[in-house]
Structures are given as C-alpha cells and as structure tokens.
Amino acid sequence: MPGIINLDDLTDKDKAQMDLDQKKIEVKLERWLTSKCCEEIKDYIVAAEEEDILVKGMPEDKNPFKEKGGCVIC
C-alpha cells in the first residue's frame, strides 16, 4: 500500500495522471439502477427483521447493559 501523498507536492501533470487512473478504475465498475438497489436493500432488511435487535429490541435476560441490582443509599 502506498504511503500518504501530499497533493501540494505534486505537479499538475501528476494530479491529472492520478485523476485519469482513478477514472479508468471507476469506468470498469458495474453500475446498477438505484431502483433495483433500493428493492434489494428493502428485501434484505425485511428478511432480517426478525433477528434485528434495533427493530425487535433486546431480550431482558441477554441485555449486558441492564442493571444487575438497584442502588441503595443508607
């Protein structure tokens, strides 16, 4: 993995080459319609809804943050 590159130290030609290299990578990526992606995400969420703690809630006996006992001030 290359180290950190300070853009201020690069010439305009180097910056343009980096931009071109990035665009060559991006143009090869498969693109999907947003409507198709949204449907797939929705289906995934609905399928996993039963096990989702954020939707269903955590059972009291498995909650590690539940207080074990009350606080008593004498």
Side-chain angles (χ1 to χ4, degrees):
M1 188 168 128
I4 298 173
I5 298 172
N6 186 355
L7 292 178
D8 294 332
D9 295 339
L10 298 176
T11 64
D12 288 341
K13 183 178 178 182
D14 291 334
K15 292 177 188 177
Q17 184 63 48
M18 285 179 63
D19 192 36
L20 180 64
D21 293 341
Q22 180 64 32
K23 289 186 183 339
K24 285 180 180 179
I25 292 169
E26 290 175 9
V27 79
K28 294 177 185 176
L29 295 176
E30 182 181 357
R31 298 178 58 118
W32 296 346
L33 294 174
T34 303
S35 57
K36 183 177 185 248
C37 293
C38 290
E39 274 300 313
E40 289 181 10
I41 291 171
K42 186 182 111 188
D43 292 343
Y44 173 80
I45 291 170
V46 169
E49 189 173 21
E50 288 298 318
E51 296 93 32
D52 193 337
I53 291 176
L54 296 175
V55 174
K56 187 178 176 185
M58 184 177 290
E60 289 293 322
D61 59 333
K62 294 185 178 181
N63 186 351
F65 301 105
K66 180 180 175 188
E67 288 189 32
K68 306 288 188 247
C71 179
V72 178
I73 298 177
C74 298

